[in-house]
Amino acid sequence: MRVALVSYDKPKTVALAEDFIRKTAGTAIVIDEENPQLVVTIGGDGTLISAFHKYSHLLNTVRFIGIHTGHLGFYTDWRDYELDDMLEGLKHDKGESVSYPLLDVRVKYRDETEPKRFLALNEVVLKKIDGTMVCDVFVKDELFETFRGDGICVATPTGSTGLSKSLGGAVIHPRTEAIQLTELASVNNRIYRTLSSPMVIAKDEWIVVEAADQKGLILAIDNLTFENQQIEKIVYRIAKERVHFARYRHMHFWNRVENAFIGKVGEQDYQDGSH
Ligand code: NAP
Ligand code: MN
């Protein structure tokens, strides 16, 4: 099995990467940064997002697996102290995997004839910080609303627990094939009107956003931000591609959500014995 390691340069992640290399030396697991079958990330969800973009040209053949050096993550199934358990799974790998939907965006820039295509794992945000962003939002080819506000976020189901959730979006089970639009501070009064609630579109639908003022827009694709974009139009849909994860043990999505956002009710309060 050809494996690529992606970590960032914090001592803890470097040490874990070294451990991984030492423990797999002389086995059928070989390090291959160029053409891996499995990409192992060490760090946080952000590290996995970076690895996804680094190896997005190999999506059909590669699987990802994440080790989190902090808390349990959404894309990272293993904690740092579980390296040996993960290696057991890897050594007996039978191709176990799970796949999730991705977001396909086609961005038409003012000065270019052909749109540029990007894939997002979490979300794509179009926003403006200097002045109000005005754009027309279409569902399929029909005008739905004219949006005025700070921006628009379109997220995948796995991205629904990221920025999208902070914008008031619903948490969507990643087995659902859908994308969700959320608003960033829309202007709503007697003159201007938007839906003002998150919107989830079906698998065979798409969203089009046409910017009225094409200057000074910011386009954020997951953890990559492009400033001063002159964008005419963006088309969002569920991608044909999916992202595949190696899964040596099963973790329920709602357990993960509970663990990340709720925790054991009352645990904190009782720790100091004040109750
Ligand atoms: P970051 O600033 O470290 O990300 C912010 C937090 O979001 C981190 O705790 C990160 O986890 C977590 N996160 C990332 N993807 C998530 C997901 N799908 N579900 C739940 N939590 C998630 O930046 P980053 O690590 O490069 O991640 C980029 C992503 O962060 C963006 O795509 C966006 O979804 C999210 N984000 C959220 C907000 C917000 O909620 N206001 C603001 C900025 C960015 P780790 O610590 O494990 O990396
Ligand atoms: Mn992060």
Side-chain angles (χ1 to χ4, degrees):
M1 166 106 64
R2 300 185 304 276
V3 175
L5 283 180
V6 177
S7 57
Y8 63 107
D9 55 4
K10 258 193 169 172
K12 201 173 177 183
T13 68
V14 173
L16 210 63
E18 285 169 359
D19 249 17
F20 183 98
I21 291 168
R22 201 167 35 79
K23 287 179 170 166
T24 54
T27 70
I29 298 157
V30 290
I31 302 294
D32 185 340
E33 302 288 333
E34 285 296 308
N35 190 28
Q37 296 163 296
L38 182 75
V39 174
V40 178
T41 70
I42 304 172
D45 279 331
T47 318
L48 199 130
I49 295 164
S50 304
F52 166 82
H53 287 283
K54 182 172 177 191
Y55 290 104
S56 62
H57 58 292
L58 297 177
L59 282 184
N60 288 335
T61 53
V62 88
R63 283 179 299 154
F64 294 86
I65 191 163
I67 304 174
H68 208 299
T69 45
H71 53 89
L72 189 69
F74 277 86
Y75 295 114
T76 49
D77 282 350
W78 303 85
R79 302 282 305 277
D80 44 5
Y81 53 79
E82 295 177 312
L83 177 65
D84 290 341
D85 297 338
M86 198 210 90
L87 287 174
E88 262 320 287
L90 179 53
K91 282 173 189 161
H92 301 105
D93 184 288
K94 293 179 203 68
E96 301 94 322
S97 74
V98 60
S99 75
Y100 301 131
L102 295 169
L103 172 63
D104 172 317
V105 289
R106 286 160 209 239
V107 184
K108 167 76 178 68
Y109 290 94
R110 192 158 72 169
D111 304 329
E112 287 165 32
T113 45
E114 286 301 311
K116 264 208 184 97
R117 181 171 182 262
F118 301 93
L119 285 176
L121 180 58
N122 267 352
E123 77 284 293
V124 171
V125 180
L126 182 68
K127 63 184 171 186
K128 199 167 176 173
I129 29 179
D130 186 11
T132 304
M133 182 176 102
V134 181
C135 60
D136 283 337
V137 178
F138 300 77
V139 177
K140 293 166 96 171
D141 294 323
E142 299 215 19
L143 179 63
F144 181 74
E145 65 183 13
T146 297
F147 175 92
R148 285 176 184 79
D150 282 6
I152 282 176
C153 168
V154 179
T156 62
T158 52
S160 72
T161 46
L163 174 65
S164 179
K165 183 175 183 298
S166 302
L167 297 172
V171 173
I172 297 181
H173 193 292
R175 227 170 21 237
T176 316
E177 283 189 66
I179 51 176
Q180 174 172 214
L181 182 154
T182 47
E183 303 178 344
L184 280 74
S186 60
V187 178
N188 269 283
N189 52 37
R190 286 165 61 153
I191 303 160
Y192 304 132
R193 196 133 299 281
T194 65
L195 181 63
S196 300
S197 64
M199 180 172 159
V200 178
I201 63 158
K203 195 173 153 180
D204 57 349
E205 296 184 318
W206 60 92
I207 294 168
V208 181
V209 168
E210 278 184 18
D213 177 1
Q214 298 162 19
K215 291 190 291 281
L217 293 168
I218 295 171
L219 181 70
I221 299 168
D222 295 335
N223 53 0
L224 306 167
T225 302
F226 305 95
E227 285 176 22
N228 273 322
Q229 301 282 288
Q230 307 213 352
I231 293 171
E232 255 174 50
K233 173 174 156 174
I234 305 185
V235 183
Y236 308 77
R237 50 161 58 87
I238 300 168
K240 287 198 186 69
E241 297 88 341
R242 289 171 71 88
V243 59
H244 303 275
F245 288 83
R247 189 168 72 173
Y248 304 131
R249 67 175 177 201
H250 183 59
M251 193 170 309
H252 282 289
F253 176 68
W254 297 113
N255 284 350
R256 223 185 269 259
V257 172
E258 188 263 355
N259 184 283
F261 298 112
I262 299 170
K264 294 280 170 283
V265 178
E267 200 173 66
Q268 286 297 319
D269 295 345
Y270 282 88
Q271 263 169 10
D272 61 6
S274 60
H275 289 265

